[in-house]
Amino acid sequence: MSNYDGQSPYGQAPYELRCRECGRRWGNQPRSICDECFSPLEITYDYDTIRASIAQGTFSRERIAQRPPNMWRYAELLPLPTGFEPRLPVGFTPLIQAPRLAEQLVGTEGDAKTAARNLYLKNDAVCLPTLSFKDRVVAVALAQAQAFGFDTVACSSTGNLANAVAAHAARLGLKAWIFIPSDLEPAKILGTQVFGANVVRIAGNYDQVNRLCSQIAEERRWGFVNVNLRPYYAEGSKTVGFEITEQLGWRLPDNVVVPMAGGSLIVKIKKAFDELIKLGLVEEKPVKFFGAQATGCSPISTAVKTGSTEIEPQKPATIARSLAIGNPADGHYAIKTIKQSGGWSEDVSDPEVIDSIRLLAETEGIFTETAGGVTVGTAGKLYRQDRILPEETTVLCITGNGLKTTDVLAGVYEAERPIAPKLAEFEKYLHETLDTIEVAKEAAATVGA
Ligand SMILES: *Cc1c(COP(=O)(O)O)cnc(C)c1O
Ligand SMILES: [Zn+2]
């Protein structure tokens, strides 16, 4: 059934670009800005066609549930070209409860038992093929890149997008040019090069890389997934919201906590919920949106906390490099999404990011990258501030995999000394180790007393 070399599976509704501010329609073309008012474009659908599919029973909760477990099951709400044939089963990552993490986040003051029942993780650390939610956006962007006739695709990236574009381009036989800040994590650079992509390291930060890409996009007929294809790319993020809803049993959560770089993911999860409500696929209910950033690059959370509606650009200085965008393209809309929902935004320091990566791993067995540490650390703050309550259904978006950012944990763990392969040696080693743990516990108890 799920043959990724063959069939064009599902129905499609007409869609096109529309200016977010003046409403002018632009058809379908590689373009992200309205020439009339210089505002960003987004995709709008012919929702009446989708309603007709629902009335005919070809698109419904039941029909969706029968489709293969990947993001293409929501094809009717994605901008996919006619005759599109999925080549990779992207998405449909696990949504799991996180009782042990919840108890730690709520702390001794909070109602840990209640929180334990209501906290969920959306685990895109295991999104395929490249272990971050960026596989979703790239899958949609490259579908359009092919429809527009590009034989070369490109992007500016803080790391995960680079991996995703390179891998998907390899699968589709497209050439890839990837532009990154030169100080990215080694695993993210290698994890791009391995797919045969051309990697251009720029001596500058992401915002400078992105500006350069806008200039290159004017000169060359290349499909830049997050520049001239950005409106199509961004729609891929909606699948996180569709999946959360379906996996909760076609129910919306009370809260979502979302890491923010350019601010697109949080805005698109909201769009996903709104579309499901509009189409009658889920019951309407208020959802609060909470944004998470690293303190060393927090233009969106700073705006929310100071009550500003506009972004003041920052120079990033954080280990959370995947979120290190000082001038976020969708910052304004992210602020709006958060404020209108009654949510909030917080940020956490680099040491808190590392503690949170370890906490998630030790409580739930999920190894996330720095962005996930930002999300978990922020969620803890929000529980302690009573902005998120234990009885509320809360979903934390874990967006990337820890194996890509192991460098931030260098120095946290000591290399164990090897022992001889003898039982007596091990017994001795075990006693020493247990003694060390006892001493450490006593010391901690003394400090606490
Ligand atoms: C890109 C990225 C984000 C944020 O995405 P935006 O849509 O740019 O806000 C979050 N987490 C990870 C791991 C990312 O790579
Ligand atoms: Zn406009």
Side-chain angles (χ1 to χ4, degrees):
M1 170 70 208
S2 58
N3 167 17
Y4 295 96
D5 290 313
Q7 53 210 308
S8 169
Y10 316 123
Q12 221 93 74
Y15 57 84
E16 67 173 317
L17 295 166
R18 186 181 61 184
C19 176
R20 262 170 160 165
E21 297 302 328
C22 76
R24 181 171 164 183
R25 287 165 183 265
W26 289 90
N28 285 295
Q29 50 172 311
R31 154 188 295 275
S32 63
I33 300 288
C34 173
D35 274 356
E36 301 277 312
C37 74
F38 304 105
S39 300
L41 304 180
E42 72 168 342
I43 306 292
T44 183
Y45 299 80
D46 178 359
Y47 291 103
D48 286 339
T49 302
I50 302 175
R51 281 193 192 95
S53 309
I54 292 172
Q56 288 159 10
T58 55
F59 187 54
S60 64
R61 292 178 184 187
E62 293 69 30
R63 279 303 173 96
I64 291 169
Q66 289 162 1
R67 295 173 176 178
N70 57 66
M71 63 180 262
W72 307 119
R73 69 211 258 122
Y74 312 106
E76 280 85 344
L77 288 163
L78 294 172
L80 301 174
T82 317
F84 169 72
E85 297 166 1
R87 294 291 306 278
L88 281 169
V90 179
F92 219 74
T93 56
L95 180 80
I96 59 166
Q97 286 190 286
R100 282 167 43 78
L101 176 66
E103 289 189 20
Q104 296 298 317
L105 293 184
V106 168
T108 46
E109 306 278 294
D111 180 354
K113 279 222 170 70
T114 304
R117 275 198 305 276
N118 296 316
L119 181 65
Y120 292 80
L121 304 170
K122 179 62 175 161
N123 186 12
D124 267 15
V126 294
C127 196
L128 294 176
T130 66
L131 308 181
S132 89
F133 96 93
K134 291 296 199 302
D135 285 319
R136 301 171 182 275
V137 289
V138 170
V140 176
L142 294 203
Q144 280 298 337
Q146 289 188 299
F148 291 139
F150 291 114
D151 65 0
T152 302
V153 291
C155 69
S156 55
S157 174
T158 57
N160 286 315
L161 186 62
N163 298 166
V165 171
H168 289 246
R171 173 78 172 162
L172 299 176
L174 298 167
K175 289 182 278 239
W177 282 82
I178 311 292
F179 298 81
I180 54 171
S182 57
D183 68 347
L184 274 197
E185 296 93 338
K188 284 184 179 161
I189 299 178
L190 189 99
T192 306
Q193 290 167 324
V194 72
F195 299 112
N198 301 286
V199 177
V200 187
R201 291 174 64 205
I202 307 291
N205 61 33
Y206 173 82
D207 298 285
Q208 294 168 309
V209 176
N210 194 49
R211 212 167 307 129
L212 172 66
C213 285
S214 299
Q215 291 169 339
I216 300 170
E218 301 268 310
E219 299 295 317
R220 311 200 156 260
R221 244 197 80 75
W222 288 0
F224 276 86
V225 301
N226 56 343
V227 181
N228 50 3
L229 298 171
R230 188 172 179 86
Y232 299 94
Y233 148 106
E235 289 294 292
S237 289
K238 289 193 311 192
T239 58
V240 176
F242 296 147
E243 290 176 17
I244 289 172
T245 310
E246 182 179 353
Q247 289 169 319
L248 283 174
W250 293 102
R251 185 167 63 89
L252 296 176
D254 296 304
N255 309 306
V256 285
V257 185
V258 186
M260 303 183 295
S264 174
L265 176 60
I266 193 167
V267 171
K268 292 297 170 174
I269 293 178
K270 165 143 175 71
K271 185 176 181 188
F273 292 165
D274 288 347
E275 285 180 338
L276 295 179
I277 293 168
K278 179 161 30 185
L279 294 168
L281 290 169
V282 73
E283 202 173 308
E284 180 160 16
K285 149 177 167 184
V287 180
K288 286 185 183 163
F289 289 83
F290 294 92
Q293 294 207 293
T295 306
C297 183
S298 51
I300 305 176
S301 74
T302 301
V304 170
K305 291 199 284 188
T306 58
S308 168
T309 55
E310 293 308 324
I311 292 292
E312 194 160 316
Q314 293 183 1
K315 241 196 172 138
T318 171
I319 57 168
R321 297 205 193 93
S322 57
L323 304 181
I325 299 184
N327 191 9
D330 290 292
H332 167 76
Y333 296 101
I335 297 168
K336 214 162 132 183
T337 297
I338 292 166
K339 282 195 172 162
Q340 287 182 347
S341 76
W344 191 247
S345 185
E346 266 296 349
D347 45 78
V348 288
S349 69
D350 286 355
E352 287 174 301
V353 172
I354 290 174
D355 288 348
S356 302
I357 290 173
R358 299 178 67 188
L359 179 66
L360 179 63
E362 291 178 13
T363 54
E364 303 296 349
I366 291 175
F367 185 17
T368 184
E369 70 147 84
T370 47
V374 167
T375 303
V376 169
T378 295
K381 275 196 176 173
L382 296 167
Y383 272 114
R384 292 193 294 278
Q385 293 170 358
D386 292 330
R387 292 183 193 276
I388 292 182
L389 302 176
E391 62 269 26
E392 295 169 342
T393 301
T394 299
V395 178
L396 312 188
C397 294
I398 304 302
T399 46
N401 193 294
L403 291 173
K404 296 191 193 188
T405 62
T406 53
D407 48 324
V408 301
L409 296 174
V412 171
Y413 301 99
E414 283 170 36
E416 289 295 325
R417 87 186 149 80
I419 61 168
K422 301 225 165 71
L423 183 58
E425 278 287 312
F426 172 67
E427 292 294 339
K428 191 167 147 241
Y429 174 85
L430 183 61
H431 281 115
E432 282 169 13
T433 307
L434 294 178
D435 283 350
T436 314
I437 292 170
E438 275 312 308
V439 171
K441 263 194 202 150
E442 271 167 34
T446 319
V447 172

